[in-house]
Amino acid sequence: MWWTRLKALIVKELLAVLRDPRGRTILIGPPIVQLLVFSYAATLEVRNVDVMLLSRDSGYWGQELVRRIEGSPTFRKVIVAGTTASVRDAIDRQTVTAAIEIGADFSRRIEAGEPADLQVILDGRRSNASQIVSGYITQIVATLSAETPAGVRGAVHSVTTVPRNWFNPNLIFQWFMVPNLIASIALLIGLIVTALSIARERELGTFDQLMVSPLRTHEILIGKLVPPMIIGLFHMTVYILAAIFIFGVPLRGSLLLLYGSSLFYLASVAGLGLFISALSMTQQQAILGAFLFMVPAMLLSGFATPIENMPDWLQPVTLINPLRYFLVIVKGIFLKDIPLMEVWHQTWPLCVIAAGTLSAASWLFRRRLE
């Protein structure tokens, strides 16, 4: 009998989501937009940068540096300036991100074996892009410096470094972003769908009918928990297929471990959604509550910045964020082939979060009945 009651509630929840045009929009629209925007547009790389070049040197090395800057694929447009005032105006108006000034004695000092300096002016308002562009320019200048007479003479005694990037040798951005999207889209869909479930019941006036039905409190929780997990698994499967067959992200680990840990992750996300839904009286409050949690969860998950770089007082807050743990699992299984013990080390906190949030949601349900 309990299975019949539970099955009826699960089917009812799935139909309530899929028959609602707004619900279908939430399920289809955001995942597609996130896949396109984050995989292609929202890149942390700096490409197609406009720079300005002011060269007062007509010698060989000055002209060679100009040719290398103009030939770099990183820079979209190299604007030649005639005066220092033009450089200042371009930086002020954010026409360019960086301006390079080559002194009149640049080539002469290189031929004489003396230090030859460049002035690179960066737009500090775009701090991240400026630092990356400065690194690109430094790399070009270092390569040129090694070919100068002084650089050739010192090459025997110089120390060279050969960088090697493990797990992503060519630094392909999609290899980093798409696995992250698998976890974040499950958070987005699971949280919103679950948060709306009980709030929708209250607005439609069916919540009281549900509470006086033969269903017990734990059966109602399970019935509300299973549909978002099914929908989350569906979206994760779509993203996994896109990662492998569209973006070429290597799957080095076990799909069984990935799907097994995802069940606990989706349960923790659905538990958070049920807790938010139990606190909310309307669907609008539920949506606001879901986004109130989701935005800090994304920022504090290590998605864009490492947790170790955050202030010491803020790092303990990330311990209650399920996205933090599942990001490690997804990227580890895709790019590193992490073992079972490492997956379990990141999974058991998800079990604790799921148990805590589901218990709190159950307590709120019982309190509303009193």
Side-chain angles (χ1 to χ4, degrees):
M1 290 296 296
W2 68 270
W3 168 245
T4 303
R5 297 194 302 266
L6 189 59
K7 179 182 177 182
L9 180 59
I10 293 173
V11 172
K12 173 249 182 190
E13 288 296 318
L14 288 173
L15 292 177
V17 173
L18 298 177
R19 285 180 176 177
D20 184 9
R22 290 178 297 179
R24 291 196 300 269
T25 301
I26 291 175
L27 293 179
I28 298 173
I32 296 176
V33 171
Q34 281 202 349
L35 181 63
L36 296 177
V37 170
F38 284 97
S39 299
Y40 290 106
T43 171
L44 299 178
E45 295 176 329
V46 177
R47 298 287 182 183
N48 301 320
V49 179
D50 294 335
V51 297
M52 180 164 280
L53 190 60
L54 175 59
S55 177
R56 298 187 177 92
D57 181 25
S58 58
Y60 171 78
W61 294 108
Q63 295 301 315
E64 179 64 18
L65 180 59
V66 170
R67 284 192 293 269
R68 296 194 181 195
I69 293 174
E70 291 177 340
S72 172
T74 302
F75 306 129
R76 176 178 57 187
K77 184 190 300 183
V78 179
I79 304 172
V80 178
T83 62
T84 305
S86 301
V87 173
R88 185 183 302 111
D89 184 66
I91 294 292
D92 288 344
R93 296 177 179 272
Q94 293 187 331
T95 305
V96 297
T97 304
I100 306 163
E101 293 190 19
I102 304 175
D105 59 348
F106 183 77
S107 296
R108 179 182 62 79
R109 295 179 69 88
I110 288 178
E111 292 292 344
E114 300 176 358
D117 297 331
L118 288 174
Q119 179 171 246
V120 180
I121 303 172
L122 302 167
D123 186 356
R125 291 164 293 187
R126 293 179 279 189
S127 58
N128 182 62
S130 296
Q131 293 178 30
I132 296 175
V133 170
S134 176
Y136 290 152
I137 296 172
T138 301
Q139 186 176 7
I140 293 174
V141 173
T143 304
L144 178 70
S145 176
E147 299 176 6
T148 61
V152 171
R153 288 194 299 269
V156 178
H157 307 287
S158 64
V159 178
T160 60
T161 59
V162 180
R164 294 184 179 181
N165 303 288
W166 286 13
F167 311 120
N168 189 359
N170 297 320
L171 297 179
I172 301 174
F173 183 72
Q174 281 81 6
W175 287 24
F176 162 79
M177 181 57 72
V178 178
N180 285 339
L181 289 179
I182 296 173
S184 62
I185 195 62
L187 175 68
L188 171 66
I189 297 299
L191 201 62
I192 291 180
V193 171
T194 314
L196 289 176
S197 61
I198 300 175
R200 182 177 60 248
E201 299 272 6
R202 288 201 179 99
E203 286 193 357
L204 296 177
T206 58
F207 181 71
D208 293 334
Q209 298 176 13
L210 183 65
M211 299 306 293
V212 298
S213 67
L215 289 163
R216 300 176 182 177
T217 304
H218 70 276
E219 293 176 347
I220 294 175
L221 283 176
I222 296 174
K224 296 286 187 180
L225 185 71
V226 171
M229 293 180 64
I230 294 174
I231 295 171
L233 285 173
F234 169 76
H235 281 99
M236 286 181 58
T237 301
V238 172
Y239 269 58
I240 290 172
L241 293 175
I244 297 173
F245 296 107
I246 297 179
F247 298 102
V249 182
L251 180 62
R252 298 191 171 105
S254 169
L255 269 178
L256 182 62
L257 289 179
L258 179 58
Y259 275 100
S261 59
S262 67
L263 293 177
F264 297 98
Y265 171 64
L266 292 171
S268 64
V269 170
L272 288 166
L274 285 175
F275 179 73
I276 293 171
S277 188
L279 289 174
S280 306
M281 299 301 297
T282 63
Q283 295 189 66
Q284 184 178 14
Q285 291 177 358
I287 292 176
L288 290 175
F291 276 98
L292 183 64
F293 173 82
M294 189 162 51
V295 174
M298 294 288 289
L299 296 176
L300 298 176
S301 65
F303 184 96
T305 57
I307 295 176
E308 293 77 12
N309 291 354
M310 300 177 186
D312 292 337
W313 62 268
L314 190 59
Q315 293 184 23
V317 180
T318 65
L319 296 175
I320 61 173
N321 183 7
L323 185 59
R324 163 189 174 155
Y325 305 102
F326 197 60
L327 281 178
V328 177
I329 295 173
V330 173
K331 290 189 290 187
I333 289 177
F334 262 92
L335 302 178
K336 301 180 184 179
D337 188 15
I338 57 176
L340 174 62
M341 288 307 298
E342 178 63 25
V343 173
W344 170 245
H345 181 70
Q346 300 296 330
T347 301
W348 73 260
L350 298 175
C351 302
V352 175
I353 295 173
T357 53
L358 290 173
S359 299
S362 177
W363 177 78
L364 286 173
F365 287 156
R366 292 191 181 98
R367 190 178 179 184
R368 293 293 173 90
L369 290 176
E370 297 176 355

